Amino acid sequence: MEPLPTVQLGMLGGSIGFALRMAQDASFRAFAQRAGSAGLKPGRFAALMVIGQNPGITSSVLGRAIGRDKSTLTPLIRDLQRAGLVDRRRSTADRRSAHLALTPAGEAVLAELVECARAHERRLDEIASGAKPELVRLLKRIAEELGG
Amino acid sequence: MEPLPTVQLGMLGGSIGFALRMAQDASFRAFAQRAGSAGLKPGRFAALMVIGQNPGITSSVLGRAIGRDKSTLTPLIRDLQRAGLVDRRRSTADRRSAHLALTPAGEAVLAELVECARAHERRLDEIASGAKPELVRLLKRIAEELGG
DNA sequence: TATTGTTATACTCTATAACTATA
DNA sequence: TATAGTTATAGAGTATAACAATA
C-alpha cells in the first residue's frame, strides 16, 4: 500500500464552515444509505415528518419551516401525493391554499424512516458522546443567526 | 403582521442530523453571498485553497482531500484552468497524472476569497463564542467516523 | 396590492459506468 | 491488473421570475 499523501488544508483546517460542510456531507450520505432501503429519497424525510407532525399544514408554512422556497415544494409534494403518501385538500377558508396530511401509507413510510433516523441519530450521539446538547444548541444558533 | 405559525418538528427538533443540515445550509448561503461578489462560485473555493496550499497536487489526491469523486473534479479544474486561475502540467514521472498549481491570477482570486472566508469565519466564531474548538472537534469527528 | 401555489426554466453539484492511456 | 483522468449521462436539489386565482 502506498501511504496516503499528506495534504495541507490551510485555513480550511480550523474552519467551522469547512468542518460543517464535511460533517453534513458525511451525515447525509450515511442517512441516505439507511433510508434508501426504505425506498424514499432522504430529502423527502423532513417534509414527511413535518406534515406528519402538523396535519393540515400548508405548503408555504412547511417551506418556511424547512427553509425551502415554495417552488421547491410543488414538485416534492406532487411526488409524495402520487406515491399515495400525502393527502391534499383545498382550504375552504382560504381557497388559494391547500391543507396537507399523511395518508395511512404515509404514516407507515414515515414510521420506517423514523426508525432509520433514530439509528442514524444514535450513531451521531455516540460520536458526540456527552456533548450532544451543546452541539445541537450551537448548530441551531448558527442556522438562526445566519439564516435571517 | 400575522404571527408566524408554530410548527412542530417532531424528532427533527432535537436531532443532530437536522441541525447540521440547517446550519450548513445557512453557512453556505451566507458564504456564497460574500464570495459571489468576488466572482467565483463557492464550491470552487475549497479546491482553489487546497491547490494553493499544495502546489503540484494531482487531481485524485485533491479529490480525496475534499471528499469528491474524480469525475467531479474534471470539469471543475477545466473551468479554473479556462479562467486562468490554475496551471496544469503533465507529470514526467507518471504520465497518467497532472500536477496542479495556481497562476498569479489564481493566487489573487484565492486571496480575495480568503478574505471573504475570514470574515465569514469571524461571524461563525462570534456565534460559537468560546465553543469553537469544541465545535470543530466534534464536526471533524463526525466527518471522520461516518466518512469511512 | 399582497399572498398561495404553479409553471417554465436554468443552474449547481454530484455520481456511476465505460473508456483511454498509462503503470 | 490497477490507477489517473476523461467523457457521457443522469439525477437530486434548488432558485428566480412570471403567472393565475384569490384575498
Side-chain angles (χ1 to χ4, degrees):
Chain A
M1 296 277 259
E2 289 274 325
L4 290 178
T6 306
V7 176
Q8 298 302 319
L9 294 177
M11 72 168 290
L12 298 178
S15 143
I16 295 179
F18 186 67
L20 210 43
R21 180 167 176 275
M22 299 297 275
Q24 210 278 321
D25 195 59
S27 164
F28 187 78
R29 280 174 211 252
F31 178 62
Q33 204 164 4
R34 285 189 205 269
S37 54
L40 200 71
K41 290 166 208 154
R44 314 264 129 121
F45 173 55
L48 213 58
M49 170 66 94
V50 173
I51 295 170
Q53 289 283 318
N54 304 272
I57 195 173
T58 63
S59 158
S60 47
V61 174
L62 171 59
R64 263 173 251 131
I66 62 176
R68 302 292 156 230
D69 189 82
K70 54 198 164 97
S71 69
T72 303
L73 291 172
T74 299
L76 192 159
I77 290 168
R78 197 205 325 105
D79 288 355
L80 292 175
Q81 199 181 3
R82 273 190 193 152
L85 306 180
V86 161
D87 181 60
R88 278 186 77 205
R89 47 191 66 180
R90 270 228 131 47
S91 170
T92 48
D94 180 345
R95 283 163 48 221
R96 291 171 303 181
S97 60
H99 298 295
L100 306 170
L102 297 186
T103 62
E107 300 275 9
V109 169
L110 177 58
E112 253 188 291
L113 284 172
V114 164
E115 265 324 293
C116 297
R118 270 197 222 292
H120 179 57
E121 201 61 22
R122 272 194 296 271
R123 186 93 182 76
L124 287 169
D125 290 358
E126 266 172 45
I127 296 169
S129 58
K132 171 173 182 171
E134 171 79 347
L135 177 57
V136 171
R137 189 183 66 74
L138 288 167
L139 293 174
K140 282 191 178 174
R141 228 174 123 191
I142 290 172
E144 254 173 55
E145 300 261 330
L146 296 181
Chain B
M1 296 275 260
E2 287 276 323
L4 290 177
T6 306
V7 176
Q8 299 302 319
L9 294 178
M11 71 168 290
L12 298 178
S15 143
I16 296 178
F18 187 67
L20 210 43
R21 179 167 177 275
M22 299 296 276
Q24 209 279 320
D25 195 59
S27 164
F28 187 79
R29 281 175 211 251
F31 179 61
Q33 204 164 4
R34 283 189 207 269
S37 54
L40 201 73
K41 290 166 207 153
R44 314 263 128 122
F45 173 54
L48 214 58
M49 170 66 93
V50 173
I51 294 170
Q53 289 283 318
N54 305 270
I57 194 173
T58 63
S59 158
S60 47
V61 173
L62 171 60
R64 262 173 252 131
I66 62 176
R68 301 292 155 232
D69 189 82
K70 55 197 163 99
S71 69
T72 304
L73 291 173
T74 299
L76 193 159
I77 290 169
R78 198 208 321 106
D79 289 356
L80 291 176
Q81 199 181 4
R82 274 190 192 150
L85 306 180
V86 161
D87 180 60
R88 279 186 77 205
R89 45 191 67 181
R90 270 227 131 47
S91 170
T92 48
D94 179 344
R95 283 161 50 218
R96 290 170 303 181
S97 61
H99 298 295
L100 306 171
L102 297 187
T103 62
E107 301 275 7
V109 169
L110 177 57
E112 254 189 289
L113 284 172
V114 163
E115 266 323 293
C116 296
R118 269 197 222 293
H120 179 57
E121 201 60 23
R122 273 195 294 271
R123 185 92 183 78
L124 286 170
D125 290 359
E126 267 173 43
I127 296 170
S129 57
K132 172 174 181 171
E134 171 79 347
L135 178 58
V136 172
R137 190 183 64 74
L138 287 167
L139 293 173
K140 281 191 177 174
R141 228 175 123 190
I142 289 172
E144 254 173 55
E145 301 259 331
L146 295 181

